[in-house]
Amino acid sequence: MLNLHFDNNKYICKTIYDLKDFPKDAGFNWDGTIKAWTTSSYIMVSNILADLKEYKEPFSTTPAFDYQADIAKKALAKRVAAASKTSSNFKVPAPVGLDYLPYQKAGIQYAVEKGNALIADEMGLGKTIQAIGVINYKDAKKVLVICPTTLKSNWKRELKKWLVNPKTAESVSIIAGSAKIDPLREYAVDIFTYGIVGKNAEVLAASNYDYVIFDESHYMKNPKAKRTIDCLAVPSKNFIALTGTPFLNNPFEIFTVAHKLAPEAFKSYGSFGYRYCSGVFEPKIHPQFLKNMNELQVKLKEAGMIRRLKKDVLTELPDKIHSVVPMPCDHASLKIAIKGEKDVIVKTHKLYQGLIKVMNKYDPISPTYRKAAQDMKDLRSDFMSQLALVRRLSAVAKAPLVAEYIQEAVESQGKVVFFAHHQEVLDLIESTLHQSGIKTTRIDGKVPPAQRGARVDEFQNGDAQVFIGSIKACAEGITLTASSTVMFGEMDWTPAKMVQCEDRCHRIGQKNSVNIVNLVIENSVDDYLTTVLHNKKIVISTLLNEGEEQEAEFIDFDMFDIFKYFGLSKAESQAA
């Protein structure tokens, strides 16, 4: 028999040994002093009640449990609803001529009431403005903003624009290197990049900030990294974390912020990993190992995460339309490049087959098998390195053809945004378009942050017809709504990076449907990537509990998949 009780601010589960998995799997902890399973979280209680109902397992409860559980259930529902609220009449000070949208007021209200918060709205919904709204409402005099280097100028501009207290606005400054600042200043809004926080630990600790804002907080995803440790160590009365994609590749990326929000709910990296990733501690977690995702979302919302989607709060914002343009491989340079890709794949496949034969022949515990398994791991790593080299050559080879597509789009649709990865590709596209009389503006890793705003303005408000950007440098902090056409000249293995680039156009201010075009060579590796890109996006959506295709199958990349795509592997065992 299993009994549920409430005493001393804890839910208590007493059960026979054979039923111990019910409280254990629900997230209760064993308390040896009272020889029972306990938890202070109603979320875990809801887990065990659901499991008991599903398996039709008899149980009993005490009046104290029933009374407290009913109160907690209603309170939790209210908190979770607040974490997804899309409208509010909350009165927030704003500069003359400016105002917050209803859902932004709801986000500001939520962060104000929670004290510490993670604003995890989908990209393009104005997280920066909401954070500044909190500052305005609280009339905070001392604020520290920690952000990526590429966003510091944007933060300065937005703070100057939105802060209502003139003294606070006047105190906004970007700090570089070792800071020479007075920690006793009455007003201070300091903008630091993640990389220099550690160098200024002493003065930051003495500054007594009202708020610390962690922009793009997934930069602190590694709890052991010095950058993370330095940033989280900065003392403040409250903090706000901002990120549009809390889980880029796996739930671990949100642990550090979750722990800072609710250290009792998210006690350790290890327990987090076992609870939500089946104990798989890898840089990337396959969806089959993810578990208790609904529980994680509820716990995050209870702890202080607010998450709204564009489709929920901006009904006027058009959907993105994705398409693939397969370019024919009919140029000599393209044929050579694609042959290079195929040669790498064929060569690797032969080595793969040999290792598979060995692994099928020997027992997994034998030294021969273990060596073959290590060789397989090394083969995969070498395969990815070689693919990167030949894909660069393919991207360069197709650049002239890509430029033609861009020219046609400019003629028929107006302004165009183009993204690629390699500098050679960006250079070729830029020079070809210039020769055709098309004016461009460009942002890549070589453009100083201070110049980014002017480059964007050339496209948004000037006569630049094409914006050329690198995928890595343009994923954050810029708005390109002057165009409704986005073209990718190269694919990326991480779909979140491409989604971030797409959302430079698909954000507040966009009045048209955004057309995203992937330009690929037929039968190339990029062509293959377009077939799995959609599935990889589904994983991101599932982790955040959004989208209608959550149950769709995810097809991860491995060597067997790519061999099969190119018609090489048919019946071998999958071992990579």
Side-chain angles (χ1 to χ4, degrees):
M1 177 60 73
L2 186 148
N3 175 262
L4 295 170
H5 179 51
F6 183 82
D7 186 38
N8 197 24
N9 294 320
K10 285 187 178 182
Y11 297 95
I12 302 169
C13 175
K14 290 190 175 183
T15 182
I16 61 175
Y17 181 82
D18 290 346
L19 299 179
K20 71 179 188 308
D21 285 343
F22 280 101
K24 182 178 180 181
D25 292 345
F28 282 61
N29 297 308
W30 176 253
D31 187 335
T33 59
I34 62 174
K35 292 183 169 36
W37 297 87
T38 68
T39 182
S40 59
S41 171
Y42 177 76
I43 297 172
M44 307 311 177
V45 173
S46 65
N47 287 343
I48 195 171
L49 290 175
D51 290 344
L52 290 169
K53 181 179 180 180
E54 179 181 354
Y55 291 98
K56 299 179 180 179
E57 183 65 40
F59 67 97
S60 62
T61 61
T62 64
F65 173 87
D66 294 336
Y67 176 77
Q68 183 60 34
D70 183 61
I71 294 174
K73 181 180 180 180
K74 293 176 181 177
L76 177 61
K78 185 177 180 180
R79 290 194 296 270
V80 171
S84 301
K85 194 174 180 181
T86 58
S87 182
S88 172
N89 294 319
F90 193 59
K91 296 187 182 302
V92 187
V96 176
L98 297 175
D99 198 6
Y100 311 93
L101 294 172
Y103 76 87
Q104 292 174 331
K105 291 180 180 179
I108 295 168
Q109 179 181 7
Y110 181 81
V112 167
E113 293 176 352
K114 292 295 292 186
N116 300 323
L118 167 62
I119 301 178
D121 289 342
E122 193 175 7
M123 289 176 288
L125 296 186
K127 294 182 290 294
T128 300
I129 293 172
Q130 292 178 68
I132 299 173
V134 174
I135 297 172
N136 284 335
Y137 184 86
K138 299 290 287 186
D139 194 22
K141 296 180 179 180
K142 302 190 73 173
V143 178
L144 171 65
V145 176
I146 304 175
C147 65
T149 301
T150 54
L151 299 183
K152 59 184 181 181
S153 296
N154 183 67
W155 265 101
K156 182 177 181 180
R157 182 173 65 251
E158 294 298 316
L159 285 162
K160 292 281 190 180
K161 179 180 178 180
W162 282 91
L163 286 173
V164 295
N165 187 325
K167 292 183 179 180
T168 308
E170 289 172 7
S171 71
V172 175
S173 61
I174 296 174
I175 310 299
S178 297
K180 295 181 179 180
I181 58 177
D182 179 8
L184 300 179
R185 294 164 297 166
E186 182 179 4
Y187 292 90
V189 180
D190 300 326
I191 304 171
F192 276 68
T193 61
Y194 280 98
I196 66 170
V197 171
K199 299 176 183 178
N200 298 278
E202 187 174 341
V203 69
L204 292 178
S207 292
N208 193 28
Y209 290 106
D210 297 311
Y211 273 91
V212 173
I213 298 173
F214 301 102
D215 191 21
E216 303 296 343
S217 60
H218 51 268
Y219 274 62
M220 302 186 296
K221 64 184 179 182
N222 183 354
K224 296 182 180 179
K226 185 177 185 302
R227 173 171 65 188
T228 302
I229 295 171
D230 290 339
C231 292
L232 294 179
V234 178
S236 65
K237 295 182 179 69
N238 294 104
F239 77 90
I240 300 173
L242 309 176
T243 184
T245 314
F247 314 108
L248 280 176
N249 288 306
N250 66 64
F252 283 123
E253 297 189 359
I254 203 171
F255 170 75
T256 52
V257 174
H259 177 71
K260 188 170 178 65
L261 279 172
E264 286 300 314
F266 302 99
K267 291 185 177 181
S268 70
Y269 189 78
S271 61
F272 186 93
Y274 282 106
R275 183 71 185 161
Y276 304 113
C277 302
S278 304
V280 178
F281 296 86
E282 300 290 343
K284 178 182 176 184
I285 308 297
H286 194 283
Q288 74 182 56
F289 296 113
L290 300 177
K291 62 179 185 177
N292 302 315
M293 287 291 100
N294 289 335
E295 174 194 305
L296 176 57
Q297 291 173 69
V298 174
K299 285 183 68 175
L300 286 169
K301 289 178 179 179
E302 184 181 39
M305 181 180 84
I306 185 167
R307 170 79 172 173
R308 281 79 55 85
L309 308 178
K310 291 174 182 173
K311 65 181 182 181
D312 298 329
V313 300
L314 292 179
T315 55
E316 73 276 12
L317 193 66
D319 291 334
K320 294 185 286 187
I321 303 172
H322 290 82
S323 61
V324 178
V325 176
M327 297 182 291
C329 185
D330 54 6
H331 291 275
S333 59
L334 287 174
K335 291 179 180 178
I336 293 172
I338 297 306
K339 183 179 183 300
E341 289 186 1
K342 191 66 177 289
D343 288 345
V344 169
I345 294 168
V346 170
K347 178 183 176 182
T348 304
H349 178 249
K350 290 180 179 179
L351 297 172
Y352 176 91
Q353 285 183 308
L355 291 172
I356 286 292
K357 289 179 181 178
V358 173
M359 295 172 75
N360 287 339
K361 183 178 179 180
Y362 288 88
D363 190 287
I365 65 173
S366 70
T368 303
Y369 182 96
R370 290 201 297 269
K371 183 180 184 306
Q374 180 60 49
D375 290 342
M376 183 69 78
K377 183 177 180 179
D378 295 340
L379 179 64
R380 176 188 169 90
S381 177
D382 185 62
F383 182 45
M384 294 296 290
S385 298
Q386 292 186 55
L387 274 186
L389 293 174
V390 293
R391 286 184 66 217
R392 180 182 66 82
L393 296 176
S394 297
V396 171
K398 75 176 181 182
L401 198 54
V402 169
E404 291 182 22
Y405 275 92
I406 296 174
Q407 291 175 48
E408 293 174 2
V410 170
E411 293 174 4
S412 62
Q413 303 173 43
K415 295 193 175 190
V416 172
V417 174
F418 172 78
F419 293 111
H421 177 64
H422 292 98
Q423 288 287 333
E424 299 100 313
V425 176
L426 300 176
D427 291 342
L428 282 169
I429 296 297
E430 187 175 40
S431 62
T432 303
L433 294 179
H434 285 176
Q435 291 171 12
S436 302
I438 295 176
K439 185 172 181 179
T440 68
T441 187
R442 173 173 169 174
I443 292 180
D444 56 31
K446 296 180 180 179
V447 177
Q451 297 180 17
R452 289 165 61 96
R455 300 284 180 95
V456 170
D457 192 61
E458 288 176 11
F459 184 74
Q460 286 288 89
N461 304 307
D463 58 355
Q465 298 164 281
V466 178
F467 178 91
I468 299 173
S470 72
I471 292 174
K472 184 176 182 180
C474 296
E476 303 162 349
I478 61 176
T479 296
L480 302 171
T481 50
S483 172
S484 59
T485 301
V486 180
M487 292 188 173
F488 285 95
E490 296 179 84
M491 301 293 101
D492 196 287
W493 292 105
T494 303
K497 293 180 182 178
M498 297 181 68
V499 171
Q500 286 178 312
C501 288
E502 294 169 6
D503 280 356
R504 300 309 96 206
C505 290
H506 186 254
R507 57 200 294 115
I508 297 173
Q510 180 57 260
K511 299 178 181 180
N512 304 300
S513 295
V514 179
N515 187 30
I516 293 106
V517 182
N518 295 318
L519 303 169
V520 302
I521 307 171
E522 287 181 320
N523 301 316
S524 66
V525 174
D526 274 2
D527 198 1
Y528 162 76
L529 281 175
T530 61
T531 67
V532 299
L533 184 61
H534 177 66
N535 292 309
K536 295 185 80 174
K537 287 179 180 176
I538 289 173
V539 174
I540 296 174
S541 177
T542 301
L543 287 171
L544 293 170
N545 192 28
E546 57 203 49
E548 299 176 354
E549 301 174 292
Q550 291 184 46
E551 302 304 322
E553 182 181 0
F554 171 77
I555 305 174
D556 195 10
F557 163 78
D558 60 27
M559 289 194 291
F560 179 84
D561 284 340
I562 198 166
F563 296 151
K564 185 178 180 181
Y565 179 84
F566 285 95
L568 297 174
S569 283
K570 293 183 175 64
E572 301 121 22
S573 299
Q574 296 185 46

